[in-house]
Amino acid sequence: MGRVAYVNGRFAPHGEAAVSVEDRGYQFADGVYEVWAVLGGRLADADGHFQRLERSLRELKIVPPMTRAALEVVLRETVRRNRVREGLVYLQVTRGVAPRDHAFPSPAPRPSVVVTAHSVDRAAADARAEAGAAVITVPETRWARCDIKTVALLPNVLAKQQARAAGAVEAWFVDELGLVTEGASSNAWIVDKAGALRTRDTQANILRGITRGTLLRVMAREGLKVEERPFTPQEALEAREAFITGAGTLLLPIVRVDGHTVGNGKVGPVAKQLRRLYIEEARRTAV
Ligand code: PMP
């Protein structure tokens, strides 16, 4: 059975699913998105992603297209129709369709809603996590509102491509102070020389990762020492361990930064344990 997408109230085969050429998502990247990990056929960190979606929409003054409950039904149905047990569900909401003009259309059009889902090979992902992965660093070139999860991802796309070309899985943005902000599609972490877990604080211009938030709660519960404090690429190289988090990778250990090894170049015990704990927590709380 082929994949199906939800588009504005109906399900259609991917090849036929489409939005208008005058959709403001297409014309101006005037829209937001969310991604939930699907674990055992259920939505991971569901509430956090819904809350962030509602905030992103509010920040862009896009009226929510439906209630959270209705949206949850659509997400679940998309997961079910695509037979996803382990994977991702993607939601995009744009300001809608209107003749091309930069300012908001008045009256406001109905927002466009697209939902897709696909399976991931969790065994292959586990194997990647066992081996550890590489990141590169790139200059921060994004706008000042990275806290809003908009579909305007061109700097992220270019950074990710640069990473891919260098044989790395992710690019870490480094701001004008020389501090890592986050990855192109993940949050960045280290276990520093002193053994403290460190990730950028949310006062900085980063996305407030939902995986990051849940992991912080897991760390607190486990009594681990955590500092929401920035680090430099050099500190990452001198760190004991590094890793990234996000709905896509869950938690992926990083063993190389810009071609240099982190710690002993092997996946460390903290990242390994945290990956297990996060996945346990996410599976337990999935809805
Ligand atoms: N930062 C950026 C720029 C991202 O695109 C993502 C992935 N959505 C993340 C961080 C991680 O966020 P989350 O844990 O909510 O998936």
Side-chain angles (χ1 to χ4, degrees):
M1 199 196 74
R3 291 175 65 200
V4 291
Y6 172 92
V7 183
N8 294 327
R10 34 178 79 89
F11 286 94
H14 265 234
E16 292 162 28
V19 295
S20 163
V21 293
E22 284 195 316
D23 192 281
R24 289 180 62 93
Y26 180 65
Q27 295 283 350
F28 297 115
D30 187 2
V32 305
Y33 74 109
E34 269 302 329
V35 181
W36 288 256
V38 179
L39 301 174
R42 297 186 300 158
L43 306 177
D45 275 333
D47 188 54
H49 286 281
F50 278 117
Q51 276 187 34
R52 188 173 61 191
L53 170 70
E54 287 155 13
R55 178 178 180 276
S56 295
L57 289 170
R58 211 162 43 239
E59 292 296 320
L60 298 190
K61 300 185 166 59
I62 296 174
V63 177
M66 54 181 105
T67 64
R68 188 192 283 210
L71 201 50
E72 199 173 317
V73 169
V74 172
L75 295 178
R76 275 181 206 295
E77 185 61 12
T78 309
V79 166
R80 193 186 69 77
R81 288 190 188 221
N82 288 281
R83 294 178 158 73
V84 176
R85 296 294 301 167
E86 297 295 317
L88 293 173
V89 57
Y90 173 89
L91 162 74
Q92 179 170 147
V93 180
T94 75
R95 197 178 306 279
V97 176
R100 190 175 185 282
D101 177 23
H102 288 62
F104 295 175
S106 179
R110 194 158 38 83
S112 301
V113 182
V114 169
V115 182
T116 58
H118 72 266
S119 298
V120 302
D121 182 346
R122 210 58 90 187
D126 287 345
R128 270 197 301 280
E130 286 287 320
V135 300
I136 60 165
T137 59
V138 297
E140 178 65 90
T141 51
R142 299 175 303 164
W143 74 328
R145 292 304 309 272
C146 294
D147 58 305
I148 308 174
K149 198 165 171 62
T150 82
V151 296
L153 290 172
L154 193 50
N156 310 58
V157 166
L158 297 178
K160 193 72 109 181
Q161 179 54 31
Q162 207 177 317
R164 181 90 30 102
V169 298
E170 181 61 299
W172 282 354
F173 290 112
V174 177
D175 67 16
E176 71 284 359
L177 299 173
L179 302 168
V180 173
T181 51
E182 63 181 330
S185 64
S186 60
N187 289 109
W189 301 74
I190 59 170
V191 182
D192 73 11
K193 273 197 294 206
L197 285 151
R198 274 163 67 183
T199 193
R200 193 85 195 236
D201 61 278
T202 53
Q203 297 307 108
N205 185 31
I206 64 166
L207 187 74
R208 295 158 195 187
I210 303 305
T211 316
R212 175 190 181 283
T214 297
L215 195 58
L216 283 171
R217 288 193 295 279
V218 168
M219 288 166 175
R221 190 185 68 199
E222 296 294 315
L224 297 169
K225 188 170 167 223
V226 190
E227 296 173 16
E228 292 184 65
R229 182 158 76 81
F231 57 86
T232 63
Q234 186 58 33
E235 284 178 298
L237 289 179
E238 292 165 3
R240 296 181 188 176
E241 301 183 32
F243 57 92
I244 57 174
T245 56
T249 54
L250 305 175
L251 187 158
L252 180 62
I254 296 302
V255 294
R256 271 197 313 285
V257 176
D258 288 332
H260 304 286
T261 56
V262 175
N264 64 4
K266 297 211 164 53
V267 173
V270 177
K272 204 174 273 187
Q273 186 203 10
L274 287 173
R275 177 174 165 85
R276 186 176 55 73
L277 288 174
Y278 173 76
I279 294 175
E280 263 174 31
E281 175 73 5
R283 284 197 189 280
R284 193 176 63 74
T285 56
V287 299

